[in-house]
């Protein structure tokens, strides 16, 4: 029996912890995941440890040392010969359903975004330097300012995309917060392996973060955690996030990241006979990577008319690329509910005279071509994508407007003179990230998730005003 214990519990005696099987996952007869079943007293002690000694030791470290420690842990996870790396390659395909090759490629790409140079840029993006996090830094207008992380920052992670927990957990460590992460049953492995690796290499950082799981129906555990938290960052569907927000006590900062929809937009200049094959390949890679489970994954491609390659021909090329990728990266079998949604989606489109449906159910992908523009809308995911012909990409705003609150990433392939004007129009519609086609599921380090700062939202800015400095100077021993 292969058993992996999920969790990292600093300050709790390991011998006192009871373990239970993680429900809801079918890993086969020879594999099981276990999670800690903490008593109320243990949970309270864990929260107090993170808020108290765990965080205080972290606060004493310069951010530079925190970055170096995280970088060392990431290096271990990237090392193909390490036990941690092998654990991830063994367990992630089983818990996510992703192919082993897809896990390998995605894992390496994700981990590389958290190396030291990227983390240094991450901090510089929001703070300019580490000075505000390490102490008080001068302000241009006079006085000083310090960025103080939460005593306890709680993370509620979704399980749709492996690697998602690292972004918020590392962010919490960079701002020197105490961190408690709740993993999803859909992907509980990576955060646990990372936290344990980090603790082995840097006990100070390991003592400032915990990883555990509790059932969403366990209101007692949730109440204890929310009461101890100063801020909660959560990922999930809109309904689930609304339910979480109702649970928050007054004064707790709630930072939700809910359902989003993303799309690609391909200009006629990218659809010449020589360029179109590459564009189709990039679009297919954006669809297949993360199996459209990320908020940044494309569900629709808007394709301009007037090029050597017509929008329908592009849709056919995209279908061919998806078929080719399916041999290397087989689609994970959808669950019963997901399979029913795919079947309903295909059935509805098959009866539409304005739609050309490419691909058979057994192919594991579907491309629906629309000859007329239509409003952006979600599909059933699982490599089901729509290609929409449009006369000019500049007309996109009218088709995006109904989804303004849920827009996130636009993957563009347009000429330089069109790039910024089009990006500004998309920004006005609510798009918060514009990237190249082929890079949609690979956000840059330090990206502004849902248009918000990565680190600034996690701190309180403490102002030490110039008047305080002036009065203090008058009380110095050298003043008469």
């Amino acid at each position: 029996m292969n058993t992996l214990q999920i969790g990292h519990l600093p300050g709790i005696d390991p011998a006192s912890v009871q373990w239970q099987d993680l429900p809801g996952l079918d890993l086969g007869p020879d594999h099981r995941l276990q999670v800690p079943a903490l008593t109320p007293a243990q949970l309270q002690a864990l929260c107090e440890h993170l808020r108290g000694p765990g965080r205080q030791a972290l606060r004493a470290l310069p951010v530079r040392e925190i970055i170096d420690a995280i970088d060392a842990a990431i290096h271990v996870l990237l090392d193909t010969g390490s036990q941690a790396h092998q654990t991830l390659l063994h367990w992630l395909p089983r818990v996510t359903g992703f192919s082993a090759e897809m896990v390998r490629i995605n894992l390496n790409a994700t981990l590389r975004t958290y190396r030291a140079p990227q983390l240094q840029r991450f901090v510089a993006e929001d703070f300019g330097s580490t000075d505000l996090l390490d102490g008080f830094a001068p302000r241009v207008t006079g006085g000083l300012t310090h960025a103080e992380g939460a005593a306890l920052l709680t993370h509620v992670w979704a399980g749709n995309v492996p690697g998602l927990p690292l972004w918020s957990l590392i962010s919490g460590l960079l701002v020197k917060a105490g961190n408690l992460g709740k993993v999803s049953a859909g992907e509980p492995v990576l955060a646990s392996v990372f936290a344990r690796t980090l603790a082995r290499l840097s006990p100070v950082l390991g003592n400032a973060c915990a990883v555990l799981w509790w059932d969403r129906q366990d209101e007692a555990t949730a109440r204890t955690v929310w009461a101890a938290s100063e801020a909660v960052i959560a990922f999930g569907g809109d309904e689930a996030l609304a339910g979480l927000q109702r649970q928050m006590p007054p004064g707790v900062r709630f930072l939700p990241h809910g359902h989003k929809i993303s799309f690609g937009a391909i200009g006629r200049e990218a659809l010449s006979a020589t360029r179109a094959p590459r564009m189709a390949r990039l679009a297919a890679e954006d669809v297949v990577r993360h199996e459209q489970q990320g908020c940044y994954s494309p569900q629709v491609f808007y394709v301009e008319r007037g090029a050597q390659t017509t929008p329908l021909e592009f849709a056919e090329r995209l279908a061919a690329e998806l078929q080719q990728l399916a041999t290397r990266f087989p689609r994970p079998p959808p669950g019963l509910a997901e399979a029913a949604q795919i079947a309903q989606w295909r059935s509805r489109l098959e009866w539409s005279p304005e739609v050309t449906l490419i691909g058979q159910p057994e192919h594991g992908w579907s491309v629906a071509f629309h000859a007329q523009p239509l409003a952006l809308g979600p599909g059933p995911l699982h490599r089901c994508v729509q290609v929409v012909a449009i006369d000019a990409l500049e007309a996109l705003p009218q088709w995006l407007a109904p989804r303004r609150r849920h827009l996130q990433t636009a993957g563009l392939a347009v000429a330089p003179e069109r790039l910024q004007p089009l990006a500004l129009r998309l920004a006005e519609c609510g798009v918060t990230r514009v990237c190249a086609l082929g890079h949609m599921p690979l956000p840059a380090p330090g990206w502004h998730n849902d248009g918000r700062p990565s680190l600034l939202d996690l701190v309180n800015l403490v102002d030490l005003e110039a008047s305080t400095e002036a009065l203090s100077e008058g009380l110095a021993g050298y003043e008469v």
Side-chain angles (χ1 to χ4, degrees), residues 268 302-305 311 371 373 388-396 399:
R268 60 180 64 91
Y302 289 95
V303 181
E304 255 186 346
R305 292 189 176 94
V388 179
I390 191 169
D391 289 334
L393 295 182
E394 285 73 16
L396 270 175
W399 305 108

Side-chain angles (χ1 to χ4, degrees), residues 305 311 349 354-356 368-374 386-390:
R305 292 189 176 94
L349 294 176
E354 298 180 353
V355 177
T356 301
F369 171 71
H370 298 258
Q372 298 299 323
L374 79 162
Q386 301 185 81
V387 174
V388 179
I390 191 169

